[in-house]
Amino acid sequence: MDENAKKVNPIVVDVSHVSMYFDVPQYRYDTLKERVVNFLKGKRNRTRRIQVLEDVSFQINRGESLGVIGHNGAGKSTLLKIVSGIYAPKAGTVKTRGKVVLLNLGAGFDMEADAVENIYLNGAILGFSRAQMKKRFDSIVEFAEIEDFLKLPLKNYSSGMISRLGFAIAMDIHPDVLLVDEVLSVGDANFQKKCLERIRQMQDEGTSLLFVSHSIPQVRSFCKNTIWIENSKVMAYGDTETVCNQYLEYCESIAGKKKK
Amino acid sequence: MKRIPVISAVYRDRNAIYEIARKDVKTQYRGSVLGFLWTILHPLLNMLVLWIIFRNLFGKSDPYYVLYLLCGNILFAAFRASTDQSLRSIVGNRGLLLRTKISPYIFPAAKTVTGMINFAYSLLALLPFMIYLSVTQGVNLFSYQLAFVLLVLPAFWLFELGMGLFLSALYVFFRDLRHIYAVILTLWMYLTPIFYKVENLNLDDFGRTVINCNPMYHFVTYFRECVYMGATAKNAEGLLAPTLPSWTTLGICYLCGVGGLILGIAFFMALKRKIIIRI
């Protein structure tokens, strides 16, 4: 089925009219005691609806990349969590094909365990057995450059090292869709370069990329299309050059207003 | 089989459950000098304390009372540890749940697997007491009945898993459940014949119903029928005559296990979507 099906239908990510909100209660009751006390007092707990995404639609073809830009709190990370299946959207549908891997800081790691255990744990969460991960072990450790720290608990790692390990595992698993949430920014310059080269190589091999970044040059160099999200709404979606220019203009106009 | 949703999910997540349980067993006694040996030493020392105390309280007339006591205690301790740790497992893995696509049920499931492994080790701790009794009483306590213990283990695990699913999901919403459950466990322990024998109590119908409705009573009873009764049952002439554990008790154990699991799964499924939002 595989090769032909992919040629016939090269869409690997299909997000259609997705909306997401969280109902946040005015007071957060975490215990049974609080609930009972407040019920007896007759206090009503109203919830406030926080809209995170509103009617977001896009598609990614096999081997293509989509950049996601926007200010902090715009809803980018939530979007990635919805595409990866962590959250179920309140409206709309998400369809993905093949193995989807979400790469964010500290994803799938136990900070108390050491690197060896975490490689197996992370692999198992992605559906790989211990034997399968053993074969990949050396190349993961080599790519992450952590040979000397294998027996160290992850809580003693720097954030750059953790991101390197996460990246190395995700790369070795050859996902069909890679969701990258701002992880490259914590690595040093050399590692960033290595990662970017690797991502490009994976794109050639047919991996699709959903790329959240605040680095406009990186988005420009990777992504054919870009989606710009601001305050939970899609501001622009299309050709990267056009969308990035619109975004930068918007940023300048905001900065201008603030100065005045 | 793989078409049934629950089974196919477990099959899909088997690697994750295995790795998390393995990691738990390994990290349990990390940083202690004796390391892994504690898995056996802990129940052994615990039993020694119980034996010293209760031998003088209740055990004067029955030399095998220590075995009676330990059977109940070992099983209830396993249940306590397994469910108490399951309870915290989802909240404790908040970071993992929010950053990766992983079904929350995996954590209580892995905890009960770890619990069963620890339980197996605590069974080893029974050995020195059985050897001691065999020598001092001049009988062989290692009869073939012991093997029948294995039959009840799956039911026991299913029951723990059902409780674990229920507690871990509820704990996300009520963080004081930990303290409440600790009290419930104490009450539960005294309702289960661990130190005392049911036949020595003057129970009315209500009391009998309460005892019979307690799944742990049936697990403890079956476990004792294998280990304690197998060794100490006497025939009409007053000679030791090992008896087989009762199939009815085993049947009730499986009823409790499967029933508990079904209730646990149903409760968990109802809250599943809210867990990830609320955690």
Side-chain angles (χ1 to χ4, degrees):
Chain A
M1 161 223 152
D2 278 323
E3 280 314 303
N4 275 330
K6 276 174 189 164
K7 271 173 203 160
V8 175
N9 188 3
I11 296 171
V12 286
V13 179
D14 188 359
V15 171
S16 129
H17 305 290
V18 160
S19 292
M20 185 70 190
Y21 56 80
F22 294 106
D23 284 330
V24 182
Q26 198 178 357
Y27 313 102
R28 193 185 153 126
Y29 299 152
D30 265 342
T31 66
L32 188 62
K33 189 197 85 191
E34 284 171 317
R35 290 223 176 203
V36 171
V37 168
N38 285 304
F39 177 77
L40 291 178
K41 281 184 183 167
K43 245 194 203 175
R44 282 189 58 202
N45 194 6
R46 289 201 192 88
T47 57
R48 192 161 62 99
R49 181 157 293 186
I50 296 177
Q51 195 74 35
V52 189
L53 289 170
E54 233 178 302
D55 198 24
V56 177
S57 299
F58 60 83
Q59 290 177 332
I60 308 176
N61 292 335
R62 194 173 123 81
E64 273 184 15
S65 301
L66 180 70
V68 184
I69 53 175
H71 284 97
N72 289 339
K76 305 185 297 293
S77 293
T78 308
L79 178 66
L80 252 57
K81 284 183 178 178
I82 290 174
V83 173
S84 71
I86 295 175
Y87 291 139
K90 297 286 182 185
T93 55
V94 175
K95 283 182 201 141
T96 55
R97 280 167 166 267
K99 207 172 272 301
V100 181
V101 173
L102 170 63
L103 200 58
N104 52 17
L105 201 54
F109 289 135
D110 180 344
M111 293 299 155
E112 297 295 321
D114 63 31
V116 180
E117 284 161 10
N118 268 302
I119 289 174
Y120 290 123
L121 174 68
N122 208 313
I125 290 171
L126 295 167
F128 290 90
S129 69
R130 187 158 266 262
Q132 285 169 315
M133 288 311 287
K134 256 188 190 132
K135 284 183 207 150
R136 299 159 195 270
F137 192 87
D138 289 338
S139 69
I140 289 172
V141 172
E142 195 197 319
F143 190 86
E145 299 167 24
I146 51 161
E147 289 92 341
D148 300 334
F149 312 104
L150 283 178
K151 285 287 165 200
L152 203 65
L154 244 59
K155 62 182 173 190
N156 298 340
Y157 273 42
S158 72
S159 56
M161 282 159 76
I162 293 174
S163 127
R164 263 165 24 195
L165 183 58
F167 193 85
I169 296 171
M171 292 301 108
D172 227 88
I173 271 157
H174 294 284
D176 296 287
V177 182
L178 184 63
L179 314 171
V180 183
D181 192 357
E182 201 62 60
V183 276
L184 297 177
S185 48
V186 288
D188 55 41
N190 281 336
F191 193 75
Q192 275 195 24
K193 203 174 147 238
K194 199 165 144 186
C195 289
L196 297 179
E197 276 166 13
R198 191 63 194 270
I199 289 181
R200 210 157 266 144
Q201 186 193 337
M202 285 176 62
Q203 280 182 308
D204 293 340
E205 289 164 7
T207 297
S208 306
L209 197 68
L210 189 56
F211 191 74
V212 169
S213 182
H214 288 290
S215 156
I216 299 299
Q218 275 180 11
V219 172
R220 276 189 169 134
S221 75
F222 279 121
C223 308
K224 197 174 139 229
N225 292 320
T226 295
I227 190 165
W228 166 26
I229 299 175
E230 203 66 59
N231 292 326
S232 79
K233 290 182 197 69
V234 177
M235 299 288 277
Y237 170 41
D239 173 62
T240 294
E241 233 7 81
T242 327
V243 175
C244 283
N245 287 338
Q246 281 175 316
Y247 174 67
L248 291 175
E249 269 171 37
Y250 176 80
C251 290
E252 271 169 29
S253 76
I254 286 182
K257 270 181 203 160
K258 274 186 187 155
K259 267 179 198 165
K260 279 172 197 168
Chain B
M1 282 291 269
K2 283 187 199 168
R3 298 219 167 170
I4 306 168
V6 173
I7 293 178
S8 71
V10 174
Y11 182 76
R12 183 194 65 216
D13 297 326
R14 66 194 185 283
N15 289 322
I17 296 173
Y18 170 77
E19 284 300 332
I20 291 169
R22 187 187 156 112
K23 180 173 64 70
D24 281 346
V25 174
K26 267 180 89 175
T27 48
Q28 223 171 137
Y29 295 106
R30 174 170 291 169
S32 68
V33 184
L34 292 172
F36 198 65
L37 211 60
W38 271 115
T39 318
I40 303 167
L41 267 182
H42 182 248
L44 191 68
L45 294 174
N46 233 337
M47 283 191 214
L48 203 64
V49 171
L50 280 177
W51 181 45
I52 291 167
I53 295 170
F54 284 95
R55 184 183 55 169
N56 295 320
L57 274 181
F58 301 114
K60 290 243 162 76
S61 56
D62 179 5
Y64 299 103
Y65 174 73
V66 59
L67 207 54
Y68 180 88
L69 171 70
L70 296 184
C71 284
N73 188 60
I74 215 175
L75 201 76
F76 203 89
F79 176 74
R80 174 196 294 271
S82 213
T83 50
D84 193 47
Q85 297 218 357
S86 293
L87 180 143
R88 306 165 201 210
S89 62
I90 288 183
V91 171
N93 284 291
R94 185 176 183 274
L96 216 53
L97 277 162
L98 284 176
R99 291 202 188 90
T100 24
K101 184 178 165 50
I102 180 168
S103 310
Y105 85 89
I106 289 178
F107 298 105
K111 277 291 179 206
T112 53
V113 171
T114 316
M116 288 305 279
I117 294 169
N118 287 338
F119 177 51
Y121 279 111
S122 63
L123 287 179
L124 285 181
L126 266 178
L127 279 179
F129 293 94
M130 292 178 71
I131 294 171
Y132 170 81
L133 278 176
S134 292
V135 172
T136 54
Q137 301 299 317
V139 291
N140 180 21
L141 289 180
F142 296 89
S143 64
Y144 64 93
Q145 269 82 0
L146 287 178
F148 281 82
V149 170
L150 295 175
L151 290 183
V152 81
L153 295 186
F156 187 51
W157 178 62
L158 292 182
F159 184 65
E160 282 185 349
L161 184 55
M163 281 296 293
L165 287 172
F166 173 78
L167 291 167
S168 60
L170 203 59
Y171 186 49
V172 174
F173 302 91
F174 302 116
R175 304 289 163 99
D176 52 355
L177 183 66
R178 226 171 96 189
H179 309 292
I180 299 171
Y181 186 59
V183 177
I184 292 175
L185 268 178
T186 309
L187 178 68
W188 200 341
M189 188 183 76
Y190 285 111
L191 282 177
T192 311
I194 291 171
F195 311 107
Y196 58 87
K197 296 186 179 183
V198 182
E199 54 268 30
N200 293 350
L201 301 176
N202 283 321
L203 285 175
D204 51 9
D205 283 348
F206 175 73
R208 212 165 292 281
T209 317
V210 170
I211 292 272
N212 274 321
C213 285
N214 175 8
M216 285 310 287
Y217 164 66
H218 301 285
F219 285 113
V220 167
T221 305
Y222 182 84
F223 190 54
R224 274 193 188 127
E225 281 174 4
C226 301
V227 182
Y228 171 77
M229 297 292 278
T232 62
K234 288 178 178 153
N235 62 12
E237 285 102 57
L239 296 168
L240 285 177
T243 49
L244 280 178
S246 113
W247 295 112
T248 320
T249 316
L250 187 62
I252 297 174
C253 287
Y254 270 89
L255 215 64
C256 294
V258 174
L261 182 64
I262 289 172
L263 288 179
I265 289 176
F267 186 79
F268 199 84
M269 298 283 245
L271 289 179
K272 202 179 151 200
R273 286 203 157 199
K274 286 188 181 164
I275 288 175
I276 189 75
I277 304 278
R278 195 53 206 272
I279 195 168

